[in-house]
Amino acid sequence: MSDIIIKEKTIKRELVFFLLSLIIAFGMNVYAIIVFDTAWTELVSKLHIVLSLSIIIYLLTLIIRAIILGIIRLIKMAKK
Amino acid sequence: MSSEDKSRRSFIKNTILGSTALMAYPWLEAVAKEPAVSMAAANKIRIGIIGVGSRGQGLLHNLLAIETTHNIEIAAICDNYEPNYQRAIELTKGKAKAFYEYRKLLEMNNIDAIVIATPLHQHAHIVIDALQAGKQVFCEKTMARTLEDTKRMADVHYSTGKILQIGHQRLFDTRYLDAMDYIKSGKIGQVTQIRAYWHRNNDWRRPVPEGKPELDRKINWRLYKEYSCGLMTELASHQIQVANWAKDAQPISVMGVGGINYWKERREVYDNVALIYSYADGTQFIYDSMTSNRFYGLEEQILGDKGTLELETNKIYSEKPPKPAGILQLVNNIEKGIFEKIPIGGATWIPETALQYKGDYISADYSVNATRIQLEAFVDSVRRGKPTPGLFEQGYHASVWTLLGQQAMDTQQIVNLPESMKI
């Protein structure tokens, strides 16, 4: 069984995607507080929900990227 | 004083000190105060227990647990049923003097107080004899089998000036105390309806020793009219007391129906009852009890225009439940948008089913043993030598309206409080 090597570039890219997910989730919390007129303390008190949501968004981006990558590879194979 | 005892007192203390209605619960003041208990043998309170069946043994256990902290002694026990008699001797390790005949126990000059937990029909004459013998008395609810006996007990209590405390442990339960505070402070708004029920699914019969069918009526006294009103005196009386306490009033009338629709054997008391008690301000107390379905168990629900209390489960529900966090509402909306089906045809109205809302706890911690606290309160009042204001009346009114409820069902008429029963 061969070792799996994760390049620094890959780690950086995934961290950026997760950070973006976190920002989106945080933004959703701010939006929800304004729209549903709830307390601003929810910015802190609901951080656990924001974190869970950011993980879900990150996983979704992972799935979408995997699908896109799969399609690109299929197209490349077809061209060859 | 044990740490358990200290915490129990501080519990009650916190409850009533934070209460806006301290004056409404005078019977608690003594419990909250640190007892000035002299541990000298001369100050020991000597207690006799008459009737040591299941409830009597429960009281005995609780009294034994406070023997040291409250400087009391279980000096005598009495029961005319041999297994109970022997078990009580065992529990008191043979230290208590044992009797088959209660009058012999009352003849003991060094007994200060009597605890009575006999079958209902025996309460009246034993209580009256005990009060007239100069003893302070704790008697289990319901007070008596008949209205006349109930009134006689009250008259003797007032004329002798001796303590007569009726066993309604909810009066010492922090859930109920906090709930009453919520009602009085207006937290649940105007109370316009009270509902209570006690549902079981069993025949309520206790096994009779083989070859001794003559003991059936003695053991299963709850099922025979001569001795009991069944569901009313054994269960409903607790909840009627709670309703009266919540309204801080007595009903003005009661109507009801009862029957035997499931346990059609030798029993004489109803196996299901349904009653409505009305208060002067128009509040209705709707009560039912049954013995063929236990799904809903027991509950007392106090309904106000701002909230609902469910006392047995220690819950309070606001009419305007707090909104969930914004982010949860947003996620919920997104979920609905993705998964919710658009109805085409179907119902043109939304059923007004119950609110799906978990509510809040009435009392932060309700694991206290209210039966023990009420016995502590009894011991404290015996030590003071005088009845606690307001406590007897709670038991009296609950007993009277329990029996009037039975009368309403038996006569199929709306029943009011007779002038002769007023105190």
Side-chain angles (χ1 to χ4, degrees):
Chain A
M1 196 174 167
S2 60
D3 292 337
I4 297 169
I5 298 163
I6 303 173
K7 290 176 187 168
E8 194 188 334
K9 192 180 148 191
T10 313
I11 295 173
K12 268 189 187 169
R13 189 186 64 218
E14 294 309 312
L15 277 176
V16 168
F17 270 106
F18 183 70
L19 194 66
L20 281 173
S21 306
L22 200 60
I23 291 167
I24 291 169
F26 194 80
M28 282 171 75
N29 195 17
V30 173
Y31 171 78
I33 288 169
I34 296 166
V35 170
F36 297 105
D37 193 24
T38 52
W40 281 102
T41 51
E42 286 180 10
L43 273 185
V44 180
S45 65
K46 301 301 162 198
L47 269 180
H48 59 291
I49 298 173
V50 170
L51 192 67
S52 310
L53 199 59
S54 61
I55 292 169
I56 292 169
I57 295 169
Y58 171 72
L59 291 175
L60 277 175
T61 65
L62 210 63
I63 293 166
I64 293 165
R65 284 184 289 144
I67 292 169
I68 294 170
L69 207 67
I71 293 169
I72 293 170
R73 281 197 180 166
L74 278 174
I75 293 168
K76 278 183 181 172
M77 278 167 67
K79 276 184 181 172
K80 278 180 187 176
Chain B
M1 189 184 295
S2 71
S3 59
E4 190 198 348
D5 192 50
K6 267 185 183 167
S7 68
R8 196 163 43 245
R9 283 185 183 280
S10 59
F11 220 7
I12 293 285
K13 205 172 181 175
N14 291 341
T15 300
I16 63 167
L17 288 182
S19 158
T20 53
L22 177 61
M23 293 307 289
Y25 318 136
W27 56 89
L28 289 177
E29 277 186 277
V31 185
K33 280 179 196 159
E34 292 297 324
V37 180
S38 161
M39 291 301 163
N43 292 320
K44 194 178 280 272
I45 290 174
R46 293 165 58 83
I47 297 174
I49 307 182
I50 301 174
V52 277
S54 56
R55 183 59 181 162
Q57 283 174 30
L59 297 175
L60 175 55
H61 275 293
N62 279 295
L63 286 167
L64 287 171
I66 60 167
E67 254 189 333
T68 319
T69 55
H70 286 69
N71 196 19
I72 62 168
E73 181 190 344
I74 310 303
I77 60 101
C78 173
D79 205 298
N80 59 13
Y81 182 52
E82 191 62 24
N84 292 345
Y85 176 88
Q86 291 300 339
R87 179 72 184 130
I89 291 173
E90 256 175 57
L91 289 171
T92 54
K93 299 189 174 81
K95 288 178 194 162
K97 210 163 178 194
F99 298 93
Y100 290 106
E101 163 58 46
Y102 80 90
R103 285 189 185 88
K104 299 273 181 209
L105 188 152
L106 294 182
E107 282 168 12
M108 286 177 73
N109 289 328
N110 57 355
I111 295 279
D112 304 298
I114 303 289
V115 170
I116 297 166
T118 59
L120 178 65
H121 68 295
Q122 295 172 341
H123 285 181
H125 61 268
I126 299 177
V127 165
I128 290 168
D129 287 349
L131 291 171
Q132 287 176 338
K135 315 293 185 193
Q136 314 284 17
V137 177
F138 175 97
C139 178
E140 263 305 325
K141 65 81 207 155
T142 301
M143 280 178 66
R145 170 64 187 83
T146 66
L147 286 165
E148 294 72 25
D149 278 351
T150 308
K151 184 62 168 50
R152 281 200 305 131
M153 289 163 80
D155 290 343
V156 177
H157 158 61
Y158 288 126
S159 65
T160 58
K162 293 289 169 189
I163 298 162
L164 175 54
Q165 182 175 329
I166 307 302
H168 281 288
Q169 65 269 22
R170 285 166 179 79
L171 287 162
F172 298 87
D173 188 315
T174 47
R175 274 174 300 178
Y176 289 77
L177 294 166
D178 282 339
M180 296 307 155
D181 202 25
Y182 284 162
I183 295 167
K184 289 184 196 313
S185 64
K187 189 164 180 172
I188 65 161
Q190 186 189 340
V191 173
T192 51
Q193 192 181 92
I194 300 174
R195 302 192 305 197
Y197 48 84
W198 202 318
H199 293 182
R200 288 177 169 175
N201 192 350
N202 61 52
D203 66 0
W204 214 357
R205 273 196 183 280
R206 295 187 175 177
V208 175
E210 215 169 306
K212 292 188 174 172
E214 71 277 9
L215 289 178
D216 177 54
R217 289 176 78 88
K218 188 177 181 68
I219 293 170
N220 289 306
W221 56 271
R222 291 173 186 81
L223 304 179
Y224 299 99
K225 280 185 178 174
E226 186 182 345
Y227 319 118
S228 170
C229 297
L231 296 171
M232 291 304 292
T233 46
E234 305 314 314
L235 305 182
S237 57
H238 280 300
Q239 294 166 303
I240 293 167
Q241 182 271 314
V242 171
N244 289 348
W245 190 16
K247 286 304 297 177
D248 205 7
Q250 287 186 67
I252 53 166
S253 68
V254 55
M255 61 177 103
V257 284
I260 301 175
N261 67 2
Y262 189 80
W263 298 105
K264 294 175 182 173
E265 17 86 294
R266 299 184 307 281
R267 80 184 51 213
E268 295 166 2
V269 298
Y270 299 144
D271 67 3
N272 71 95
V273 298
L275 304 106
I276 301 175
Y277 289 85
S278 299
Y279 290 83
D281 67 355
T283 300
Q284 311 295 344
F285 168 42
I286 302 162
Y287 184 79
D288 80 282
S289 184
M290 65 188 295
T291 48
S292 54
N293 181 298
R294 66 183 179 89
F295 183 73
Y296 289 105
L298 90 150
E299 191 56 272
E300 296 99 39
Q301 301 167 323
I302 299 175
L303 284 62
D305 63 345
K306 291 182 186 163
T308 301
L309 293 165
E310 290 194 339
L311 298 167
E312 293 289 341
T313 44
N314 189 30
K315 295 304 276 286
I316 178 168
Y317 304 91
S318 169
E319 280 292 286
K320 290 179 183 164
K323 282 195 290 185
I327 186 79
L328 291 176
Q329 293 186 61
L330 180 65
V331 169
N332 195 28
N333 281 0
I334 294 170
E335 242 179 77
K336 271 187 187 169
I338 297 171
F339 299 110
E340 200 169 60
K341 290 173 186 163
I342 300 165
I344 302 168
T348 54
W349 58 280
I350 300 165
E352 289 181 84
T353 51
L355 289 178
Q356 297 300 315
Y357 158 47
K358 286 181 183 173
D360 296 303
Y361 289 111
I362 296 171
S363 192
D365 186 351
Y366 64 96
S367 56
V368 289
N369 179 345
T371 297
R372 187 170 300 173
I373 297 175
Q374 73 167 344
L375 288 170
E376 288 175 346
F378 174 62
V379 169
D380 288 346
S381 59
V382 170
R383 204 172 289 286
R384 285 197 312 275
K386 55 181 181 185
T388 309
L391 193 49
F392 168 73
E393 288 72 19
Q394 288 280 341
Y396 178 80
H397 293 138
S399 297
V400 167
W401 283 98
T402 296
L403 296 170
L404 291 174
Q406 183 66 39
Q407 191 180 314
M409 292 188 293
D410 291 343
T411 59
Q412 298 276 294
Q413 285 181 343
I414 296 175
V415 171
N416 310 108
L417 181 70
E419 199 59 37
S420 61
M421 292 307 295
K422 288 182 181 165
I423 52 170

